[in-house]
Amino acid sequence: MITKKGLLKTKKTPKKRRSFCQTIKKGWVFYDTPINTTAEESVATWTELRLFLTELAQKPRGTIGAFQQKATAISKKVMALNENLPIQFDKPQIKSRISTLITKVRLLDLYIHLDVISDKKVVHLIAEINNELASLQRQMDKIVEKSKIPVEEGESELMKMMDAARAIPDSSPTMIDPNTPRVE
């Protein structure tokens, strides 16, 4: 037997789903185009980045299931960014930004698959993903700009001398052995 309370609950659910889908649909806007020339050039050569941005550009249809499938697809594509980094971008600064981007996208995938989905949280995560994506592209631009600066005469030798891996290890004893004789 269905009570009045249960009947009201079932009537509210489709309305909630529609408003949820509308909120998510409005907030599902990703920065799917490169923001600078370096990112544009990278999209041409870095296949994983191009596939990730293409996946972001495709907007799902208005059902919760479609948004969940899209979040899963985006999550798979972002994981591939770490696999084949271009040599010039194989640096800790880029890797850390990719890791942060992966974390945000995986969080989106997690939150959208929960039983009770917070549409505000999903829209907030989309904004955070956009910020991380812009940060990654700006860092790529910085690396390219720094690589264009010419090396001064003798700078490469100085950098080799400052390399800690090439340093001669300190062979002086760090602790004084109490059993060694001392002259007083």
Side-chain angles (χ1 to χ4, degrees):
M1 184 171 151
I2 299 176
T3 63
K4 287 183 180 181
K5 204 176 203 180
L7 187 61
L8 287 175
K9 248 187 199 180
T10 56
K11 286 182 180 180
K12 285 183 181 179
T13 307
K15 284 184 181 181
K16 283 184 178 180
R17 284 187 179 160
R18 272 185 258 138
S19 72
F20 168 79
C21 285
Q22 291 300 327
T23 305
I24 296 295
K25 198 173 197 177
K26 287 177 187 175
W28 196 274
V29 179
F30 289 103
Y31 296 158
D32 56 354
T33 56
I35 62 170
N36 53 37
T37 56
T38 302
E40 286 176 14
E41 293 166 2
S42 296
V43 167
T45 58
W46 189 2
T47 309
E48 288 78 11
L49 181 63
R50 180 177 54 246
L51 292 174
F52 176 64
L53 292 177
T54 303
E55 194 68 43
L56 287 178
Q58 299 167 355
K59 200 168 188 177
R61 300 290 173 206
T63 66
I64 295 172
F67 285 109
Q68 290 173 338
Q69 288 176 347
K70 179 52 77 173
T72 304
I74 291 170
S75 181
K76 288 178 184 174
K77 297 292 182 188
V78 77
M79 293 299 289
L81 287 179
N82 260 340
E83 292 173 8
N84 295 323
L85 281 172
I87 294 169
Q88 78 182 59
F89 298 131
D90 195 8
K91 300 194 180 323
Q93 304 94 313
I94 296 294
K95 287 181 178 181
S96 68
R97 281 170 177 75
I98 289 174
S99 295
T100 307
L101 183 63
I102 288 171
T103 303
K104 299 294 182 182
V105 171
R106 300 288 303 255
L107 271 173
L108 173 68
D109 189 26
L110 173 78
Y111 276 114
I112 208 155
H113 280 90
L114 292 175
D115 291 336
V116 179
I117 305 168
S118 169
D119 53 351
K120 292 175 185 171
K121 182 69 175 175
V122 171
V123 171
H124 180 70
L125 278 170
I126 291 170
E128 287 181 5
I129 290 169
N130 285 333
N131 288 340
E132 296 303 328
L133 194 56
S135 174
L136 172 66
Q137 293 179 27
R138 283 191 207 102
Q139 187 64 42
M140 290 165 48
D141 192 41
K142 276 184 185 178
I143 288 173
V144 169
E145 290 302 316
K146 282 184 180 181
S147 70
K148 291 179 182 177
I149 299 172
V151 178
E152 291 183 16
E153 187 179 319
E155 187 176 354
S156 60
E157 289 85 20
L158 180 65
M159 294 306 286
K160 284 181 186 176
M161 288 174 31
M162 293 176 64
D163 188 8
R166 294 177 32 100
I168 299 171
D170 187 17
S171 62
S172 64
T174 54
M175 288 189 55
I176 300 173
D177 186 12
N179 296 327
T180 57
R182 293 186 293 174
V183 176
E184 290 184 19

